[in-house]
Structures are given as C-alpha cells and as structure tokens.
Amino acid sequence: MLVHAITSNAAYEFASDVRAGLSRPGQKELPSKYLYDDVGSALFEVISRLPEYGLTRADERLLRRHASDIVDRLAGPVAVVELGSGSGKKTRWVLEALCRRQRTFYYPVEISRTALAMCERELRDIDSVSILGFEREYLDGLLEVAAHRKDGQHLLVLFLGSTIGNFDRPAGVRFLAEVRRILEPGDSLLLGTDLEKPSTQVLAAYDDELGVTAAFNLNLLARINRELDADFDLRQFAHVARINHEARSVEMHLGSTRRQTVSVAAANIDIEFAEGETIWTESSHKYSTEEIFQMARDAGFRCEAQWIDDEWPFAENLLTAE
Ligand SMILES: C[S@@+](CC[C@H](N)C(=O)[O-])C[C@H]1O[C@@H](n2cnc3c(N)ncnc32)[C@H](O)[C@@H]1O
C-alpha cells in the first residue's frame, strides 16, 4: 500500500493546539484526534474488544449481515473512501461484497500512521481490492480522493464506529455538509451512529473495569510528554467519564488529583491545575433514530436505509447525496 504522508508541520500544530487548549480560561480541553498516536491506536483496538464496549461489535454485526444489501443499493462502479478507518476490520464485509461484483479501490484516510498500517495488514488479502492510504485529516483526504475520481465512478464514503459522535451536534451536521459538498449527487455515505441507551451502560463503555480506556485517555498526557517535552506526572491525573445529560453525550476528562503546575516546553507554557480540575479530551454523542434522518437532510443527504442492531442500540445509515 502506498501511503501519502502528512507534509504539513504536524509537530508545530500539536504544540499550538496544546497551548490553546490548556491555557484557555474556564474548562481546559484537548482535541480528541490527538488520542491516536501509535500507543493510542493500539489501545483503541483493545477497547473495541472489551465486553463493556458493545459499540464495535454492533457495528460489525450490522455490516456483516447487511453488506450485500448495502452494496446492491449502490450504482456502480464504486470506489470506497473511509474516514478514520482505524484497523479497518469491519470494512472487510463491505469490501468483500463489492469485490464480488467489481475490482475495488479502497482509500482509508487516517491521521494515525499506525492505524493505516493495521488497516493495510487487515485487508490486503481480499481478492480484487487495491488499497491506497492517506495519512490526512478527514476532509483533506476526501478532497484528494474526489479530485482523482474516474469518469462515471461513484464514491462510497464510510464513516463508521460512531466517530461522528465526537463532534457536538451542530458541528456534526456542519461536518456532514462539508462531506456532501465534496461529493457528487448519487454518491453515498455509510454512517455508523451509536444510539441513546441507559447511562450505566454508556458509562461502563467509557470507563471499563480493566482500565484500558483510562490508559487510552492518559496516553494523551504521555504523548505530550514524549513529543512536546512536557512533565505531566501521570500518577497525578485520573481518567473521568461523565454523562452530559443536556448534550446527550458521554465525556472523557483527565482530572488533576492535586494542585500542581505542569510545564510543556515545546509549547512554551506552564499550566496551573487546581485539585479536581479537568482537561476535557473527548465527547461521544448518542442519537435517536429520527434525528439521524434530520441530520442527513440538513447536510444535503437522503437516508436511503437504516439498519438497527438488536443487541446494542446502534444504527447503520446509508445516505445518498442529493
Ligand atoms: C473512534 S476511532 C474509530 C475507528 C474505526 N472507524 C472504528 O469504527 O472502529 C476514530 C479513528 O479516526 C481517526 N481520526 C481521528 N481524528 C481524525 C481526523 N481529524 N482525521 C483523520 N482521522 C482521524 C483516529 O486515528 C481513529 O483511528
């Protein structure tokens, strides 16, 4: 697999985002995309197998059961672009179904080089698939793929695992509208969305007994230590998962267990933490089935079909660009 690597100054952007997020007044925050370095991507793979995290298994069941139906609804020929592919394990079902009818080009778009490498290893044995990975932000990667589409070719964009839930609701619709702007009428978007469920079930999924999600979250501070010459003492921070009822989301934070000062040399800042103060690192919004139809319409798509898992409330939605 050829990988088009990030050429921009990623280290500079990381330092400047860390500086902005940790020096802002009020709630400190860090963009969730930085959770995924090589350690973070490996830990996310483990999370996806935890008994508490039913989301990935639900997504996978729906794709396995309905891959042929999904593919039958697409006008061909089709090239597949996946935004934030991770290891790509679940994507196998869609690619295998498509490859039964055509040679298929598959373009995973990822900011994590480790995830791209896992994805290539996972899917390269499929007959009639050509994989070309893009180490890019979602929309930059999609723009590049769309710019090189062949005459008459349709795009199927995959955005699985309810990664859309990392955006707040208005930003999620704006993001889908950006995707729509890059697509042509008749192109498709397969969108995985985690549905609302009891708070205890949601909290357990983001705060597992084994502590893998805690390690995934704390690794962000370890990454800042490694890459930005910071001196976070990881033992003085704790993983916190909490429900935000108003936003209908679960939030991950890193809470300072005491008053302390941390220095991030490459970002040229010293940060004061009060005891109990947190850094907000990720949100995962949960949806109702009806609001997904509305989100799709607001972003310029029509919802062609929706499949819902019967074990873990999760919906796979096939959207068509209007
Ligand atoms: C929640 S994981 C989901 C992975 C996979 N799609 C799944 O369903 O299991 C999100 C993935 O998106 C990638 N990612 C996060 N932010 C990104 C961004 N801004 N641009 C490209 N990839 C991103 C991460 O590296 C990670 O692999």
Side-chain angles (χ1 to χ4, degrees):
M1 171 173 77
L2 281 169
V3 173
H4 288 238
I6 286 176
T7 48
S8 64
N9 195 342
Y12 173 79
E13 269 178 36
F14 186 27
S16 111
D17 286 347
V18 166
R19 187 185 164 82
L22 296 186
S23 54
R24 71 200 295 274
Q27 176 68 63
K28 294 177 169 56
E29 58 181 284
L30 289 168
S32 63
K33 65 181 179 180
Y34 293 117
L35 291 164
Y36 297 93
D37 65 345
D38 51 352
V39 178
S41 289
L43 286 170
F44 182 76
E45 270 309 291
V46 182
I47 290 172
S48 72
R49 292 167 201 213
L50 293 172
E52 294 95 332
Y53 197 78
L55 191 157
T56 307
R57 283 182 295 281
D59 200 359
E60 206 261 346
R61 270 193 299 276
L62 290 170
L63 294 170
R64 178 158 39 90
R65 281 183 197 155
H66 302 292
S68 300
D69 192 3
I70 292 167
V71 163
D72 287 348
R73 289 165 186 268
L74 307 174
V78 178
V80 181
V81 194
E82 179 158 14
L83 308 181
S85 63
S87 71
K89 269 204 178 78
K90 296 170 288 180
T91 307
R92 165 174 297 275
W93 303 106
V94 176
L95 293 180
E96 285 186 344
L98 253 181
C99 285
R100 283 195 282 275
R101 82 168 198 210
Q102 59 161 80
R103 169 149 209 95
T104 303
F105 288 89
Y106 170 58
Y107 306 103
V109 175
E110 257 295 340
I111 37 159
S112 162
R113 187 171 294 188
T114 303
L116 271 185
M118 284 195 269
C119 184
E120 199 258 336
R121 276 198 302 277
E122 186 66 37
L123 300 171
R124 67 183 163 201
D125 67 303
I126 302 176
D127 274 346
S128 307
V129 76
S130 302
I131 306 177
L132 177 62
F134 287 82
E135 192 184 342
R136 290 276 189 282
E137 296 263 352
Y138 303 127
L139 296 176
D140 294 341
L142 180 58
L143 266 170
E144 271 191 65
V145 174
H148 294 103
R149 78 156 79 201
K150 300 185 180 66
D151 277 352
Q153 190 177 53
H154 288 279
L155 292 184
L156 167 64
V157 178
L158 306 178
F159 199 30
L160 305 177
S162 206
T163 306
I164 183 72
N166 294 154
F167 296 95
D168 66 32
R169 283 165 212 279
V173 174
R174 283 198 300 276
F175 179 78
L176 294 180
E178 288 297 325
V179 170
R180 169 62 194 88
R181 261 191 283 281
I182 298 171
L183 298 181
E184 300 284 346
D187 287 342
S188 303
L189 168 63
L190 188 63
L191 180 69
T193 46
D194 202 25
L195 301 177
E196 289 171 298
K197 48 185 68 61
S199 297
T200 45
Q201 195 180 4
V202 174
L203 275 178
Y206 293 84
D207 193 8
D208 61 279
E209 271 198 333
L210 203 53
V212 185
T213 313
F216 172 69
N217 199 7
L218 280 162
N219 175 57
L220 180 46
L221 302 185
R223 178 180 184 181
I224 297 172
N225 284 349
R226 286 191 295 269
E227 296 182 25
L228 300 180
D229 198 12
D231 62 1
F232 280 103
D233 178 350
L234 268 55
R235 286 181 184 78
Q236 306 300 339
F237 285 86
H239 170 67
V240 179
R242 62 167 81 127
I243 300 285
N244 182 331
H245 290 283
E246 201 184 328
R248 289 185 288 137
S249 67
V250 54
E251 296 178 355
M252 295 203 316
H253 291 249
L254 289 161
S256 174
T257 56
R258 59 167 188 164
R259 196 168 162 219
Q260 55 185 316
T261 304
V262 176
S263 127
V264 185
N268 204 18
I269 43 165
D270 290 327
I271 316 133
E272 306 283 341
F273 288 93
E275 185 179 340
E277 186 178 3
T278 70
I279 309 170
W280 181 14
T281 53
E282 192 190 68
S283 286
S284 296
H285 291 78
K286 306 299 168 190
Y287 302 93
S288 69
T289 48
E290 304 74 37
E291 80 177 305
I292 298 164
F293 294 114
Q294 188 60 48
M295 278 166 65
R297 274 195 296 274
D298 291 348
F301 290 96
R302 178 180 75 246
C303 190
E304 196 74 37
Q306 184 180 70
W307 297 271
I308 296 172
D309 188 57
D310 42 22
E311 290 179 44
W312 175 279
F314 187 96
E316 208 74 73
N317 311 278
L318 183 62
L319 313 183
T320 305
E322 300 219 277

